């Protein structure tokens, strides 16, 4: 009876072990890079002060002057300019040079003096940002990060089950046992850190998953289908029904809600004569006129302005403040100078609004420094859990072997399948990976005595 009572515990421990073995190194990377990006602006200002700051200006020059100065110093195609609101901040111009990687060039809005440039991915913040999203492996890395995040949810669930105290002295499990020595101390520390930070870690995972490739695309498609995602005027006009590029494809960085929204186009790329024959190209109103139209719409500064990259492209201004209630995306027809689209936070469905709020909380933006410090806690918790968990495993494992808990029984195996199916409905990558690990564990490793011995 005693052995049977311990069977569920051993089964959960085995899956907690597997989850930790796979997730710990990746979670450690995500926690460290996430901590860096939480303070991205502070780090950039400290590392590159000469690029980010300029003497206080009384008035700003037209954007065309800034772009001309940038192209004179760094020849190439300009794709975007970020116009600052603070009087001592430089403008940031995105340049695709004739050779080499994309540049971010910093220019004084008051004098058009170019302060310098860098390749974003070669900076500390840029490196952390890229690693945090894709481990520098593109779409494959994005899938690995998503899989690690999903397995972390399983790790937390099984960890809480293993930690759950019983008896009258349950409250002692909330704190590390400072009187214990060796593995007992590390076990109590591991459990206490986990229970105090697990809710915030789950919050970080759930608010980060919308940006993941598989789950994020499914979530956007689901919210769109139920009419609670991106705005009414964009619904049923997605990329599946038209060759028009999405906003993400056209300009790169967009609010999560509008990534799949079809990009508006400029009305007339050419003037046509009475017979419909194209006579002459239409005239672009130019970036200065586009900025004037945006000013008439209430956008004066502190927005990202992407330039049209095709004959039917549009000028796109994106306001992306720390509080998403101020988000706004405005497209200007490059020939007519009219507003092709104007979408704000109030136009989003309630689910999309919730995701946008979650994203800003995840990045530590919503409540300023307090938000940064609160989100730093789960990052530090993850580091502590990974290091203490690995240390306990290293101390416990038999010499020369992995030290995995023994294989689950057929009854427990059925439970694993049920859990995998349930997880697959919510998180497809997690469900598929659970079944794959179970199949390897149950049918491959079990038939290889030498491998089984090495694992134990």
């Amino acid at each position: 009876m005693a052995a049977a009572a311990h069977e569920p515990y051993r089964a959960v421990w085995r899956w907690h072990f597997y989850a930790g073995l796979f997730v710990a190194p990746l979670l450690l990377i995500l926690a460290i890079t996430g901590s860096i990006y939480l303070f991205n602006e502070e780090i950039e200002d400290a590392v590159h002060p000469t690029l980010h700051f300029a003497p206080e200006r009384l008035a700003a020059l037209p954007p065309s002057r800034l772009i001309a100065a940038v192209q004179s110093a760094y020849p190439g195609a300009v794709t975007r300019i970020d116009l600052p609101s603070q009087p001592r901040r430089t403008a940031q111009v995105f340049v695709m040079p004739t050779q080499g990687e994309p540049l971010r060039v910093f220019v004084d809005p008051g004098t058009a003096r170019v302060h310098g440039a860098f390749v974003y991915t070669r900076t500390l913040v840029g490196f952390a940002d890229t690693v945090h999203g894709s481990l520098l492996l593109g779409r494959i890395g994005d899938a690995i990060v998503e899989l690690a995040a999903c397995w972390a949810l399983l790790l937390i669930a099984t960890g809480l089950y293993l930690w759950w105290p019983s008896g009258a002295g349950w409250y002692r499990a909330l704190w590390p046992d400072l009187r214990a020595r060796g593995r007992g101390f590390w076990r109590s520390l591991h459990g206490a850190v986990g229970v105090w930070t697990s809710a915030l870690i789950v919050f970080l995972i759930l608010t980060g998953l919308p940006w993941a490739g598989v789950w994020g695309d499914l979530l956007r498609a689901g919210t769109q289908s139920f009419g609670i995602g991106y705005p009414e005027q964009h619904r049923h006009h997605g990329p599946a029904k038209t060759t028009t590029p999405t906003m993400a494809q056209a300009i790169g960085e967009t609010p999560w809600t509008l990534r799949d929204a079809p990009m508006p186009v400029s009305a007339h790329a050419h003037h046509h004569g009475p017979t419909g024959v194209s006579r002459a190209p239409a005239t672009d109103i130019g970036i200065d006129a586009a900025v004037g139209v945006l000013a008439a719409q209430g956008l004066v500064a502190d927005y990202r302005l992407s330039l049209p990259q095709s004959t039917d492209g549009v000028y796109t201004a994106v306001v992306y403040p720390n509080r998403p209630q101020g988000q706004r995306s405005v497209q200007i027809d490059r020939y007519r100078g009219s507003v092709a689209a104007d979408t704000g936070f109030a136009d989003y469905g309630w689910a999309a609004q919730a995701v946008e709020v979650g994203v800003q909380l995840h990045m530590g933006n919503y409540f300023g420094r307090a938000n940064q410090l609160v989100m730093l806690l789960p990052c530090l918790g993850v580091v502590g859990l990974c290091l203490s968990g690995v240390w306990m495993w290293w101390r416990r494992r038999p010499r020369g072997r992995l030290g995995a808990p023994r294989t689950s029984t057929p009854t427990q195996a059925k439970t694993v399948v049920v859990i995998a199916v349930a997880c697959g409905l919510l998180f497809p990558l997690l469900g598929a990976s659970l079944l794959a690990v179970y199949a390897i564990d149950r049918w491959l490793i079990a038939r290889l005595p030498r491998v089984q011995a090495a694992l134990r």
Side-chain angles (χ1 to χ4, degrees):
M1 290 295 291
H6 283 85
E7 284 297 314
Y9 186 92
R10 289 188 183 125
V12 172
W13 182 26
R14 184 174 181 83
W15 283 95
H16 188 76
F17 174 85
Y18 277 138
L21 197 64
F22 167 69
V23 167
L26 295 172
L27 283 186
L28 199 58
I29 292 172
L30 294 178
I32 294 172
T33 55
S35 299
I36 293 171
Y37 197 76
L38 274 174
F39 299 92
N40 65 88
E41 187 170 302
E42 292 86 348
I43 293 172
E44 287 286 2
D45 287 348
V47 176
H48 305 288
T50 57
L51 297 182
H52 287 272
F53 295 102
E56 187 170 349
R57 63 184 183 277
L58 299 177
L61 295 173
S64 60
R65 289 274 303 276
L66 306 183
I67 290 174
V70 166
Q71 288 182 311
S72 176
Y74 299 92
V78 171
T79 58
R80 174 178 135 189
I81 180 171
D82 293 358
L83 299 172
S85 59
Q86 298 179 23
R88 293 196 64 247
R89 288 277 179 183
T90 55
Q92 193 171 165
V93 180
F94 291 62
V95 177
M96 182 64 71
T98 52
Q99 291 183 339
E101 299 180 69
L103 295 173
R104 297 191 181 188
V105 186
F106 299 84
V107 56
D108 187 334
T111 64
R113 184 175 75 85
V114 176
H115 286 222
F118 59 52
V119 176
Y120 178 64
T121 53
R122 295 181 185 175
T123 65
L124 175 61
V125 169
F127 177 78
D129 183 15
T130 308
V131 171
H132 193 77
S134 65
L135 304 175
L136 303 177
L137 298 174
R139 293 184 63 86
I140 294 176
D142 177 87
I144 294 173
V145 169
E146 179 177 354
L147 194 56
C150 292
W151 270 80
L153 294 175
L154 179 67
L155 193 61
I156 291 169
T158 54
L160 288 174
Y161 176 89
L162 296 172
W163 165 87
W164 200 265
S166 59
W170 61 269
Y171 56 88
R172 295 193 188 95
L174 297 173
W175 310 101
D177 187 355
L178 300 180
R179 294 173 299 178
R181 293 291 180 269
R183 188 169 177 270
F185 166 76
W186 288 103
R187 179 183 171 85
S188 68
L189 177 65
H190 187 81
V193 171
V195 74
W196 283 109
T197 60
S198 58
L200 284 173
I201 294 172
V202 169
F203 177 81
L204 275 182
I205 293 170
L206 295 181
T207 52
L209 277 174
W211 288 100
V214 176
W215 201 77
D217 289 348
L218 289 174
L219 180 61
R220 259 192 306 274
T223 56
Q224 179 186 346
S225 299
F226 287 103
I228 54 176
Y230 61 68
E232 181 71 35
Q233 62 265 32
H234 292 314
R235 292 178 197 152
H236 313 301
H237 298 282
K241 296 186 178 182
T242 176
T243 57
T244 302
T246 64
M247 282 188 62
Q249 292 170 338
I251 64 174
E253 295 182 39
T254 65
W256 178 87
T257 303
L258 299 178
R259 286 184 61 81
D260 288 344
M263 192 70 168
V265 296
S266 293
H268 298 291
H270 294 80
H271 291 303
H272 296 276
T275 60
V277 178
S278 177
R279 290 184 175 176
T283 303
D284 191 315
I285 62 171
I287 189 171
D288 295 341
V291 167
V293 175
L294 292 169
Q297 299 299 313
L299 275 66
V300 178
D302 202 18
Y303 60 83
R304 311 166 180 174
L305 180 57
S306 295
L307 281 62
Q309 301 299 310
S310 62
T311 55
D312 60 354
V314 292
Y315 290 96
T316 301
V318 176
V319 181
Y320 197 70
N322 291 340
R323 296 200 172 186
Q325 291 83 351
Q327 285 184 13
R328 191 176 174 193
S329 300
V330 181
Q331 281 86 19
I332 305 298
D333 188 303
R334 69 182 300 183
Y335 305 114
R336 294 179 171 182
S338 57
V339 177
D342 188 346
T343 308
F345 182 83
D347 299 312
Y348 303 169
W350 66 264
Q353 290 181 344
V355 170
E356 294 292 356
V357 171
V359 166
Q360 294 303 321
L361 288 169
H362 178 99
M363 295 194 298
N365 293 334
Y366 203 98
F367 294 114
R369 184 56 51 82
N371 196 164
Q372 291 173 306
L373 295 176
V374 169
M375 290 298 100
L376 181 62
L377 290 176
C379 293
L380 297 177
V382 167
V383 173
L385 288 169
C386 290
L387 295 180
S388 60
V390 169
W391 179 248
M392 283 193 298
W393 161 72
W394 188 260
R395 293 289 301 270
R396 182 190 62 83
R397 70 182 184 90
R399 184 178 297 275
R401 289 184 289 168
L402 190 64
R406 67 182 180 81
T407 310
S408 24
T409 64
T411 301
Q412 295 160 6
K414 292 179 182 178
T415 305
V416 171
V417 172
V418 172
I419 293 173
V421 172
C423 290
L425 295 175
L426 290 174
F427 307 103
L429 281 181
L430 175 59
S433 63
L434 273 172
L435 289 175
V437 171
Y438 167 71
I440 293 171
D441 183 41
R442 188 72 185 171
W443 291 304
L444 181 60
I445 294 177
R447 297 180 182 183
L448 299 173
R450 290 186 179 179
V451 175
Q452 202 171 29
L455 289 177
R456 292 181 183 174

